[in-house]
Amino acid sequence: MATVMTPRRLQVVMAVLIAIAIIERFAWALRRGLVSQAGEAHQVAIAFAEGRGFSDPYFFGSEPIAHLLPTQPLLAAFVYSAFGTQSIASKILLQTISCGWMTAGYLLFFRMFKRLGVPLVPRLAAFAFLCVIPLFMGPESLDFRYWEGGLAVVLAIATLDRIVRFDSMGANACFAARLDLAALLAATVFVNAAVGLGLGLCAVIMASRRWTMRRRLETGAVSAVLLAMMVVPWALRNDAVLGKPVLLRSNAALELSVANNDIV
């Protein structure tokens, strides 16, 4: 297949698969009337759009919160501010953003496994399976509009792709490229600390094998500064409205326990 699949033909095949994936997700959403109820993140987006701040996750007047991060809910809030909380335009735009996270994630997976040396046939088969078979229809059609899952997946795969790339490059990594990795690591830790810290360990292992001590320290310091630029304003906000400088999420420990404990 690799001998007959030209780059142009591969682009066309992948474009068709992506179009099928997006049509399926939109059809799923339209069949449900583009319903927008998606739990606390949806309510917080509405509250922010209506000028009530990052608050009211359960009902009107339920106070400011820090168990969600100011990421995807804020993006949804900006859409609501521009087009209204109940408009068809808002729902279609948010559905498009959700499909955008899905598409970016699948394309990054495809590229990363190419870097790892996986042949074209299994890569394309896996890509087609993810696009056409609705394994994650609910999250890809609804949750990614308001929750940070889609953003977290894209950041995580992009970061891992950079780590794999640098591992294959050896010591040939310019400062701009390392800055890119530092920014991705910082953003991933902020959006999903568990995944970000795991990827940080992967980066440390790669850097210890491929980079000089100076390059390791430079990249680590830049990543720490960038992370602080995201965390500090959020912590100050939480200290002002909640009385505690919550660094990321106030219920992170509970979520880790629920996600990794079958009894809970």
Side-chain angles (χ1 to χ4, degrees):
M1 185 175 181
T3 59
V4 298
M5 182 67 75
T6 63
R8 174 63 178 170
R9 187 174 298 176
L10 178 60
Q11 291 176 358
V12 172
V13 170
M14 294 183 68
V16 170
L17 290 171
I18 290 170
I20 292 172
I22 293 174
I23 290 170
E24 283 185 354
R25 276 65 179 180
F26 261 93
W28 187 92
L30 288 169
R31 186 177 180 184
R32 288 155 179 78
L34 284 172
V35 60
S36 24
Q37 288 297 331
E40 305 101 289
H42 175 231
Q43 297 301 324
V44 169
I46 292 176
F48 195 90
E50 293 179 347
R52 290 181 276 127
F54 205 75
S55 62
D56 299 349
Y58 305 110
F59 52 84
F60 184 87
S62 57
E63 303 301 327
I65 54 100
H67 75 268
L68 294 173
L69 286 166
T71 52
Q72 191 67 23
L74 277 190
L75 179 58
F78 293 144
V79 172
Y80 281 154
S81 297
F83 300 101
T85 58
Q86 299 297 326
S87 71
I88 294 297
S90 291
K91 295 178 180 180
I92 291 176
L93 181 54
L94 288 172
Q95 178 67 23
T96 302
I97 292 172
S98 181
C99 289
W101 293 133
M102 172 202 68
T103 302
Y106 290 166
L107 288 172
L108 284 168
F109 264 128
F110 187 84
R111 186 177 72 174
M112 185 184 71
F113 280 101
K114 179 181 179 180
R115 291 193 196 279
L116 291 171
V118 178
L120 175 60
V121 172
R123 279 190 295 123
L124 189 57
F127 185 82
F129 185 85
L130 288 172
C131 287
V132 177
I133 306 301
L135 295 177
F136 312 107
M137 189 68 77
E140 292 168 351
S141 299
L142 178 59
D143 295 348
F144 288 178
R145 300 185 209 170
Y146 311 102
W147 296 87
E148 72 277 6
L151 172 61
V153 168
V154 170
L155 287 173
I157 304 169
T159 304
L160 188 57
D161 179 68
R162 297 300 192 283
I163 294 171
V164 172
R165 175 190 173 200
F166 286 136
D167 192 53
S168 64
M169 290 172 59
N172 300 321
C174 65
F175 179 75
R178 287 183 284 117
L179 177 62
D180 182 42
L181 175 61
L184 282 170
L185 277 172
T188 306
V189 171
F190 184 72
V191 173
N192 190 308
V195 173
L197 292 174
L199 289 170
L201 180 58
C202 292
V204 167
I205 294 172
M206 178 277 297
S208 67
R209 298 172 53 201
R210 303 299 187 185
W211 294 349
T212 63
M213 180 60 71
R214 178 180 177 180
R215 290 191 170 191
R216 295 176 213 162
L217 294 176
E218 283 179 349
T219 308
V222 170
S223 187
V225 170
L226 293 174
L227 179 60
M229 291 173 63
M230 291 180 271
V231 170
V232 170
W234 177 239
L236 292 174
R237 175 266 181 191
N238 292 334
D239 189 43
V241 302
L242 302 176
K244 293 182 180 180
V246 178
L247 297 180
L248 293 174
R249 300 174 66 147
S250 58
N251 65 339
L254 175 62
E255 289 186 351
L256 283 173
S257 176
V258 172
N260 296 280
N261 190 340
D262 293 336
I263 300 177
V264 176

